Amino acid sequence: MSVFIQQLPALIGVVIGALGSYVVVVRGDQARFRREQTARWEERRLAVYADYARSVKQTVTLAYRVAAGLGHGNHPDPLTIDEAKPLLAEANGARDPSGEALIMLGSHAVVERARAWVVTVMEMERFVRDGGQDTAAWRALLDQQRAGREGYYTAVREDLGLPPGHSARWPVRSADPVPPQR
């Protein structure tokens, strides 16, 4: 028995070393799993955020095109409201699922900024559907929409821990002058 007692400290050392190694490996695996899971959720949120922005921008682009047809702006492909109605319905239908995904996965701040942006876009749509003729009102809606989009993107960047980005406000070339009539 004395040989066993002499070997006992070495045996206890081996057991403690094995348990320590096991704990370190398990903790490392747990930390790696949490990091990977966080990265997957961030990728999903980024995809949802981008999909929602794309769906809202479809409506914005259609509103720009109809407004150009009403004499507001100079979009190169103006539309009449009759031409745009089915396209607007399609864009609105596409926005609903992306909006639901945004509500499920988005942070509170992002969802609130998205709501503010889309409310303005809906006002733009209403303006062009009603055949709005007030250029000042249209310009105010454009400014609100741009601020709403900028606010949405800022909230997205903050939620994902990204650095500040570009405001996307760059000068647009004014309408080409009308050539002189001969």
Side-chain angles (χ1 to χ4, degrees):
M1 189 82 139
S2 69
V3 174
F4 177 73
I5 292 189
Q6 288 175 350
Q7 300 282 330
L8 190 59
L11 184 59
I12 290 172
V14 168
V15 169
I16 289 173
L19 286 174
S21 294
Y22 175 76
V23 168
V24 167
V25 168
V26 166
R27 296 249 184 206
D29 285 348
Q30 288 173 343
R32 184 173 44 89
F33 174 76
R34 283 191 300 273
R35 281 192 310 272
E36 289 173 357
Q37 188 177 31
T38 299
R40 280 193 303 273
W41 281 112
E42 284 180 359
E43 287 173 11
R44 287 180 182 155
R45 282 199 326 271
L46 177 59
V48 165
Y49 293 163
D51 187 45
Y52 183 76
R54 194 173 17 260
S55 68
V56 173
K57 277 297 284 181
Q58 285 179 333
T59 304
V60 170
T61 300
L62 289 169
Y64 283 167
R65 292 178 68 189
V66 175
L70 294 171
H72 309 294
N74 58 353
H75 196 284
D77 299 312
L79 288 173
T80 66
I81 190 60
D82 291 332
E83 293 169 325
K85 279 182 181 178
L87 299 173
L88 286 168
E90 184 180 326
N92 288 334
R95 189 173 64 230
D96 285 343
S98 63
E100 292 301 316
L102 177 75
I103 291 169
M104 281 193 321
L105 295 178
S107 73
H108 183 74
V110 171
V111 172
E112 284 302 311
R113 293 294 184 103
R115 183 197 58 76
W117 184 26
V118 80
V119 165
T120 301
V121 170
M122 290 164 52
E123 290 173 12
M124 290 173 68
E125 183 180 351
R126 189 175 317 117
F127 180 92
V128 297
R129 280 183 184 272
D130 293 344
Q133 295 299 314
D134 185 354
T135 301
W138 175 249
R139 292 204 185 279
L141 286 171
L142 288 178
D143 289 341
Q144 288 175 0
Q145 186 277 142
R146 288 178 183 127
R149 182 181 68 175
E150 186 176 347
Y152 174 75
Y153 288 152
T154 298
V156 165
R157 287 186 197 102
E158 288 173 2
D159 184 45
L160 297 175
L162 300 173
H166 193 280
S167 70
R169 291 183 186 225
W170 44 69
V172 178
R173 186 173 63 121
S174 63
D176 292 333
V178 178
Q181 304 247 332
R182 294 181 194 220

